[in-house]
Amino acid sequence: MKEIRLKARAKINLTLDVLGRRDDGYHDLKMIMQSISLYDSVFIKKTDKNNIKLKSNIDWLPSDERNLAYKACKVMKERFNIKEGIFIEIDKRIPISAGLAGGSSDCATVLFGINKLFNLGLTQKELMDIGLTLGSDVPYCIMRGTALAEGVGDILTPLPPCPDMHVVLLKPAISVSTAVVYNGLNLSEVKERPDTEKVIEAIKNGDRDGISKGLSNVLESVTLSMYPELNDYKKRLMEKGANATLMSGSGPTIFGLFYEKEDALRAYNEFKAEGDIKHVILTKIYNTKKRGG
């Protein structure tokens, strides 16, 4: 095999709870992560020159060690003494700095792809261990699907597949610093916290209403106060027929869950026509276990 083409899936959070700050400065989390059908296309190819070359369709995106996908490639080359060169091309479809784990997913996909391309024989657990050295969301992006994430996001428990729903993503032309959001979080002032166990039970029962009622993200208390227009996006999604809305990760992306495709498509078309939000994306819950698809 000389080359491989893979899909790096985005994620949303169905719940996100922050339990407290750790001694190392990070936070202990408890959250339900869910893959969606939105993806970046990642092409990886062996080359004759013993180097790494990365390019993407975003001209300002770093193509060196500031890019997690590049960093993943370098780690794999050094750790497994790969002498051939590697060329990576990423067609970005996942909005950048959006709370959708686009960079982490690209990184995870490069780890997975190099393992396949060079027949390294690493298990998923071994890949996830390498991924954790690159970023806390990377192990989940290797696992994908529906999962409970604890610790800093590194302790993962697979959950039964989330029932099918359609998803409308709204990402404005702003970027949010994850560090700023976490530093601005005062847990003593958080009024609403997720009932994660209740949402897990709803997932197990295929109960879409139970999942929708349980959507909760404590980081909204920070990001939505910084960017009040995000509250307006949530309201508009509900007015256009969403069954539930939430912010993904530390934001700024707001998503709406829709049970019926027609309702999601109508909302998507209306937001696109209104033209005041930079990224309006129609996608759906992704649950297939097959990798590469």
Side-chain angles (χ1 to χ4, degrees):
M1 189 189 297
K2 288 284 186 185
E3 59 189 47
I4 190 169
R5 190 176 297 277
L6 299 163
K7 294 175 180 177
R9 302 279 177 182
K11 66 85 187 167
I12 55 175
N13 296 85
L14 301 179
T15 67
L16 196 162
D17 199 5
V18 180
L19 307 181
R21 186 184 287 271
R22 298 151 53 110
D23 292 340
D24 60 9
Y26 291 96
H27 289 80
D28 274 316
L29 308 172
K30 187 173 186 179
M31 54 191 178
I32 299 172
M33 313 270 273
Q34 176 60 53
S35 300
I36 54 178
S37 290
L38 175 65
Y39 65 88
D40 291 341
S41 181
V42 179
F43 174 73
I44 309 171
K45 179 182 176 182
K46 295 177 181 177
T47 63
D48 294 332
K49 290 184 179 178
N50 185 13
N51 62 6
I52 300 169
K53 185 170 182 182
L54 185 148
K55 66 178 287 191
S56 79
N57 59 322
I58 308 293
D59 56 10
W60 52 265
L61 195 69
S63 58
D64 54 21
E65 286 194 55
R66 293 170 294 167
N67 187 303
L68 271 181
Y70 183 102
K71 198 177 286 188
C73 185
K74 185 178 180 185
V75 165
M76 294 293 273
K77 271 181 65 67
E78 291 175 351
R79 187 171 294 206
F80 299 101
N81 198 28
I82 295 170
K83 297 301 185 187
E84 291 172 88
I86 299 175
F87 170 73
I88 301 167
E89 185 170 10
I90 302 175
D91 183 12
K92 292 289 298 176
R93 299 184 181 102
I94 303 170
I96 297 166
S97 299
L100 299 171
S104 295
S105 191
D106 293 342
C107 175
T109 301
V110 167
L111 294 176
F112 179 90
I114 290 175
N115 184 44
K116 284 282 187 189
L117 201 56
F118 291 91
N119 297 309
L120 300 177
L122 300 173
T123 65
Q124 184 184 74
K125 174 67 166 59
E126 288 169 330
L127 284 175
M128 289 164 66
D129 287 344
I130 296 170
L132 183 58
T133 68
L134 295 162
S136 58
D137 279 346
V138 178
Y140 166 74
C141 291
I142 292 170
M143 175 186 282
R144 305 200 300 186
T146 313
L148 172 67
E150 298 175 277
V152 294
D154 58 316
I155 304 169
L156 296 166
T157 305
L159 297 173
C162 181
D164 290 340
M165 286 181 273
H166 301 275
V167 183
V168 174
L169 302 170
L170 305 178
K171 197 275 179 183
I174 57 174
S175 295
V176 173
S177 164
T178 299
V180 167
V181 172
Y182 275 97
N183 287 334
L185 181 65
N186 186 341
L187 288 174
S188 65
E189 294 180 359
V190 173
K191 295 174 183 174
E192 182 184 331
R193 304 188 79 133
D195 188 338
T196 306
E197 300 306 323
K198 197 170 182 179
V199 177
I200 291 172
E201 195 62 28
I203 291 169
K204 288 178 179 177
N205 294 331
D207 177 7
R208 295 186 299 186
D209 285 339
I211 295 166
S212 294
K213 289 173 184 171
L215 291 189
S216 181
N217 179 349
V218 299
L219 297 182
E220 283 192 341
S221 63
V222 181
T223 308
L224 269 58
S225 65
M226 292 165 59
Y227 301 99
E229 64 267 35
L230 300 181
N231 275 308
D232 181 54
Y233 295 170
K234 294 186 76 174
K235 181 181 176 184
R236 287 164 64 187
L237 274 163
M238 294 301 290
E239 289 172 349
K240 293 181 190 298
N243 295 93
T245 71
L246 194 68
M247 181 181 78
S248 185
S250 57
T253 301
I254 301 293
F255 68 87
L257 296 181
F258 293 78
Y259 300 166
E260 303 300 330
K261 184 175 182 179
E262 295 75 15
D263 295 337
L265 182 59
R266 183 173 60 251
Y268 165 78
N269 286 330
E270 288 177 5
F271 276 114
K272 289 289 281 186
E274 289 163 12
D276 62 324
I277 300 172
K278 184 174 183 181
H279 296 284
V280 181
I281 298 168
L282 176 61
T283 183
K284 60 184 179 179
I285 297 293
Y286 175 83
N287 272 316
T288 263
K289 299 296 181 186
K290 180 182 174 185
R291 189 75 201 209

